[in-house]
Amino acid sequence: MSHTDPKTVTHAICGAYLLVAFSDGEFAPIEEGRLMAELAADDAFRAFDLSALNAEMDELIQAFTANYEATALDVLISIASVKEGEMAVRAVKHAARVAIIADQAISPQEEHALERVALALGLDKAAL
């Protein structure tokens, strides 16, 4: 991981997931636990504090529910600020991909949200 603040990385990871998950206007209950289950099962995420990720998820769910676009912009800034950290980028990319499969469907809004995440990371959408 880079020298980026761990809170910012946590915000970027959870935010990337929720940015995509909330983009279609339907945040299903199954989506809430999907990221944590994926992260807990993936060795690449052992470096991240799962309790901090859980707390961040709870905060961001409330924020996205209250104001999707303002929260999305805040998250995209966090994502852009971690793009130099290889581990953070891998985590953000993984979180965004998990959001697509969490509800087992992909909408045009989710495609657009993925594009926004890729752009914030300085990547082509195909790299996500």
Side-chain angles (χ1 to χ4, degrees):
M1 204 177 325
S2 72
H3 297 290
T4 305
D5 173 45
K7 172 84 169 133
T8 303
V9 176
T10 299
H11 190 73
I13 293 167
C14 294
Y17 178 81
L18 292 171
L19 175 74
V20 176
F22 268 94
S23 67
D24 63 2
E26 298 176 17
F27 187 68
I30 191 170
E31 292 176 286
E32 190 169 344
R34 184 70 58 135
L35 179 64
M36 291 304 115
E38 284 285 323
L39 296 184
D42 191 326
D43 288 342
F45 291 94
R46 293 199 190 267
F48 298 102
D49 179 354
L50 290 180
S51 64
L53 287 166
N54 273 318
E56 189 66 27
M57 281 287 283
D58 291 343
E59 286 180 31
L60 281 171
I61 288 170
Q62 291 177 10
F64 272 110
T65 300
N67 189 334
Y68 175 84
E69 199 52 45
T71 306
L73 291 174
D74 175 61
V75 163
L76 290 167
I77 290 167
S78 292
I79 291 170
S81 76
V82 303
K83 70 181 178 185
E84 299 303 319
E86 181 183 338
M87 196 143 172
V89 169
R90 283 184 43 222
V92 167
K93 287 168 55 175
H94 184 74
R97 287 190 300 257
V98 170
I100 291 297
I101 62 167
D103 64 358
Q104 300 169 341
I106 185 164
S107 69
Q109 297 92 336
E110 289 172 326
E111 286 277 353
H112 178 67
L114 282 176
E115 290 173 14
R116 293 174 82 183
V117 171
L119 182 63
L121 290 171
L123 302 171
D124 182 78
K125 187 180 113 184
L128 209 54

